[in-house]
Amino acid sequence: MQAIKRKAPNILITGTPGVGKSTLCTKLAEVTGLEWIEISKVAKDNNCLEEFDAVYNCPVLDEDKLLDGLEETMSHGGNIVDYHSSEFFPERWFDIVFVLRTDNTTLYDRLIARGYTGKKLEDNVDCEIFQTILEEAKNSYKHEIVHELNSTSPENMESNVQSICSWLQNWFSQNTQ
Ligand code: DAT
């Protein structure tokens, strides 16, 4: 589906929990002035969380309510959306999708440091091993707008910020007179 014309693009940053989405988005928002939309936080602040999932020790997202609440903001453009899933967003919302990746050992260490244990830890590491989030993004958006970025080291983060800024400049030069 063709993205509608916006004054600025919408970017989706996705990837397994712990891969570095918040860290990258904080930096990107600072450098680009785009709005960072942290879906987990928006969902919590707008009562879009339903019953508790006892297995994963996390609440279940009311997707329809969340999407309705974000529609207007997204239609204006200029947003960086950060979430560990991508399939339930309308495809037309995004001009580009970045999937952050790291190696299993790095991810394991980051999740341990975050206090993840048991099934939650295991499932998230498996999610990265099996490229679940990358596959989900490729199944939900045109392949040419889905890009994988290595998010293992601080140097990776710097180069990811630079790549995204270059893409952004290019978008503005092609989409504004
Ligand atoms: P997410 O938002 O995907 O759950 P995060 O941004 O909270 O992940 O990062 C998890 C941890 O990893 C945090 O301690 C910061 C660290 N980290 C993130 N990106 C990194 C990078 N490119 N290099 C080194 N450490 C990174």
Side-chain angles (χ1 to χ4, degrees):
M1 194 187 293
Q2 191 69 37
I4 54 164
K5 201 87 176 159
R6 294 183 265 261
K7 65 174 170 45
N10 289 319
I11 299 172
L12 175 61
I13 306 285
T14 187
T16 308
V19 87
K21 300 181 296 297
S22 310
T23 309
L24 179 67
C25 288
T26 305
K27 186 75 183 165
L28 276 177
E30 205 179 284
V31 173
T32 64
L34 299 187
E35 195 67 34
W36 171 25
I37 299 183
E38 200 177 357
I39 293 295
S40 308
K41 186 171 183 301
V42 172
K44 195 170 169 198
D45 294 349
N46 294 281
N47 298 316
C48 299
L49 299 175
E50 295 173 317
E51 81 271 25
F52 209 72
D53 184 323
V55 177
Y56 290 98
N57 196 24
C58 67
V60 177
L61 181 64
D62 180 341
E63 295 173 356
D64 290 340
K65 187 174 177 188
L66 179 97
L67 297 180
D68 284 350
L70 281 173
E71 182 62 52
E72 202 189 331
T73 304
M74 295 303 294
S75 71
H76 296 308
N79 303 292
I80 306 169
V81 172
D82 157 6
Y83 199 50
H84 58 260
S85 178
S86 61
E87 67 186 355
F88 67 93
F89 297 118
E91 188 183 353
R92 65 188 152 75
W93 274 11
F94 297 106
D95 299 279
I96 195 155
V97 177
F98 294 103
V99 184
L100 303 192
R101 305 295 312 278
T102 191
D103 62 82
N104 315 329
T105 317
T106 302
L107 184 67
Y108 181 89
D109 291 345
R110 288 181 189 170
L111 294 178
I112 287 280
R114 191 181 271 188
Y116 281 25
T117 54
K119 185 166 172 54
K120 192 170 179 175
L121 173 64
E122 202 180 296
D123 285 357
N124 279 296
V125 173
D126 281 353
C127 178
E128 191 58 17
I129 293 171
F130 295 117
Q131 312 197 133
T132 310
I133 310 294
L134 178 65
E135 293 305 319
E136 182 186 336
K138 283 183 175 169
N139 288 334
S140 308
Y141 301 89
K142 283 189 195 146
H143 282 207
E144 59 267 33
I145 73 157
V146 177
H147 303 273
E148 218 176 327
L149 294 176
N150 188 356
S151 177
T152 305
S153 67
E155 292 73 26
N156 292 149
M157 195 181 82
E158 285 310 314
S159 95
N160 292 341
V161 170
Q162 278 178 18
S163 305
I164 295 172
C165 286
S166 302
W167 176 85
L168 201 54
Q169 274 179 352
N170 196 40
W171 189 95
F172 280 117
S173 67
Q174 289 186 351
N175 290 276
T176 49
Q177 282 107 5

